[in-house]
């Protein structure tokens, strides 16, 4: 059976007790897959596996595992998956945005292929909370003193452990569908044995390949970036865009203080209409500065505007660029694997 995105309802109290939840999806049609009844609230569909991992990233033994499960997990030198195009997905601050990435990966990769890209997904509720809290409470970290006192080392160590886990699981490439996690991308992936795709590099390359023309003759190509204060302070979007020759336009201090930060605060209060109005103002401020397009580097912001909103047509979602780059990598990995097989 082809891969399917898991759709389950998990009570918040029970979900938060899981140290880590992993979903493994393959494009095999075999019906006998690993089935573990870890928790009655978790529904495990065919071709998918949900496993707990301990703090070291290892799989604990389970007395309820079937012999076929053990055989599956012990194959390929202990890796869960053996496909040359297996993608490791490291969940970030929002489970919803991670699952949205997975849905797009599944659906878009199947447009020209009979089967979707195999993947291993690792989502940790503790990491989700830490990243989401940091991003949504960036207004409380605006001062340089507050940022310097905030200890990021637990987040970095958590991300690093997830990277090691995905390497051991058989992933041949790792992606992180989370903006703020890219603040420590170089540190987390230093010494990694497999490649990783950087979301800012993916969207910058996509814009470069689009061969955009300046809105004014003789002026440089300008790309706006709208994100939470903590993501803008990290600077990786600015760096990757500038590497491709773009002039980066950021919201000024007044726009951040009077629209961006209040919009995030409104989201925290569940005032979506207020947040939506503030986002429209921030976008209009950037657009009048002659930018070709605006990168919406925030999952909360991308979800605010309705799909048919005219302003949204002037924006680009970096998550879409990451999905397309992941699919291209997977397709190339299959071709290289077939070429290697034919020469041996």
């Amino acid at each position: 059976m082809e891969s399917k995105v898991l759709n389950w309802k998990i009570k918040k109290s029970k979900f938060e007790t899981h140290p880590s939840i992993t979903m493994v999806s393959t494009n095999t049609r075999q019906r006998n897959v690993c089935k573990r009844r870890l928790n009655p609230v978790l529904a495990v569909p065919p071709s998918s596996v949900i496993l707990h991992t301990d703090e070291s990233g290892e799989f604990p033994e389970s007395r309820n595992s079937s012999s076929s499960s053990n055989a599956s997990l012990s194959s390929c030198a202990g890796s869960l998956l053996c496909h040359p195009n297996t993608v490791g997905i490291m969940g970030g601050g929002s489970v919803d945005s991670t699952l949205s990435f997975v849905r797009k990966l599944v659906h878009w990769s199947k447009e020209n292929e009979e089967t979707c890209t195999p993947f291993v997904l690792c989502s940790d509720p503790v990491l989700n909370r830490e990243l989401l809290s940091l991003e949504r409470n960036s207004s409380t970290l605006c001062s340089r003193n507050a940022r310097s006192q905030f200890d990021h080392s637990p987040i970095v160590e958590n991300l690093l452990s997830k990277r090691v886990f995905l390497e051991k699981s058989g992933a041949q490439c790792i992606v992180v569908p989370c903006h703020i996690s890219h603040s420590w991308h170089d540190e987390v992936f230093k010494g990694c044995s497999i490649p990783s795709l950087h979301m800012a590099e993916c969207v910058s390359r996509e814009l470069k390949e689009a061969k955009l023309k300046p809105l004014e003759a003789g002026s440089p190509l300008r790309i706006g970036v709208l994100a939470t204060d903590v993501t803008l302070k990290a600077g990786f979007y600015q760096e990757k865009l500038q590497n491709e020759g773009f002039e980066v336009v950021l919201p000024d201090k007044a726009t951040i203080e009077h629209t961006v930060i209040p919009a995030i605060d409104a989201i925290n209060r569940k005032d979506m209409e207020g947040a939506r109005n503030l986002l429209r103002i921030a976008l209009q401020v950037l657009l009048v500065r002659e930018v070709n397009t605006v990168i919406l580097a925030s999952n909360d912001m991308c979800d605010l505007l309705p799909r048919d909103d005219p302003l949204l047509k002037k924006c680009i979602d970096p998550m879409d660029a990451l999905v397309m780059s992941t699919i291209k990598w997977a397709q190339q990995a299959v071709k290289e694997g077939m070429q290697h097989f034919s020469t041996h």
Side-chain angles (χ1 to χ4, degrees), residues 280-332:
R280 288 193 175 105
I281 295 173
L283 285 172
Q284 289 166 348
V285 170
L286 283 177
L287 291 170
V288 298
R289 296 170 66 183
E290 301 297 333
V291 299
N292 284 70
T293 188
V294 176
I295 294 176
L296 271 183
S298 166
N299 297 319
D300 288 329
M301 294 180 186
C302 285
D303 295 336
L304 273 179
L305 299 180
R307 296 295 97 184
D308 59 349
D309 193 298
L311 281 176
L312 200 58
K313 296 178 181 179
K314 300 180 182 295
C315 302
I316 183 171
D317 185 352
M319 206 72 74
D320 292 348
L322 182 62
V323 173
M324 292 307 302
S325 295
T326 303
I327 293 173
K328 290 178 181 178
W329 172 86
Q331 292 172 340
Q332 184 61 32

Side-chain angles (χ1 to χ4, degrees), residues 207-249:
L207 289 169
K208 186 73 171 181
E209 294 172 354
K211 300 186 182 302
L212 302 172
K213 295 182 180 180
L215 297 182
E216 288 186 356
S219 64
L221 278 169
R222 298 190 180 97
I223 305 297
V225 179
L226 194 58
T228 59
D229 186 63
V230 67
T231 298
L232 292 177
K233 289 290 194 300
F236 54 87
Y237 274 105
Q238 298 92 303
E239 176 189 351
K240 303 303 181 183
L241 286 165
Q242 289 168 353
N243 289 345
E244 294 293 346
F246 295 109
E247 180 179 310
V248 182
V249 178

Side-chain angles (χ1 to χ4, degrees), residues 57-175:
E58 301 293 338
F59 300 110
E61 295 296 330
S62 173
R63 297 179 181 179
N64 296 329
S65 297
S66 63
S67 58
S68 61
S69 301
N70 293 330
S72 174
L73 293 176
S74 62
S75 62
C76 301
S79 297
L80 285 172
L81 298 178
C82 311
H83 307 283
N85 62 332
T86 297
V87 176
I89 304 173
M90 189 186 302
S94 169
V95 176
D96 289 337
S97 65
T98 301
L99 290 178
S100 176
F101 173 87
V102 172
R103 291 187 188 98
K104 291 177 179 179
L105 178 65
V106 171
H107 294 152
W108 295 359
S109 65
K110 288 173 62 179
E111 287 183 355
N112 299 317
E113 305 288 341
E114 290 185 359
T115 55
C116 79
T117 302
F119 63 86
V120 182
L121 166 62
C122 183
S123 180
D124 182 353
V126 174
L127 181 62
N128 298 153
R129 288 196 302 271
E130 290 176 346
L131 291 173
L132 191 61
S133 176
L134 176 60
E135 186 168 36
R136 288 191 172 179
N137 295 311
S138 58
S139 59
T140 63
L141 299 173
C142 283
S143 70
R144 182 177 300 177
N145 186 48
R147 287 195 304 272
S148 63
Q149 291 179 357
F150 189 87
D151 184 12
H152 296 135
S153 57
I155 294 178
V156 175
E157 291 174 3
N158 198 325
L159 290 169
L160 182 59
S161 70
K162 301 301 180 294
R163 188 213 87 186
V164 173
F165 164 75
L166 290 172
E167 284 182 278
K168 293 179 179 180
S169 299
Q172 300 302 310
C173 178
I174 297 177
V175 297

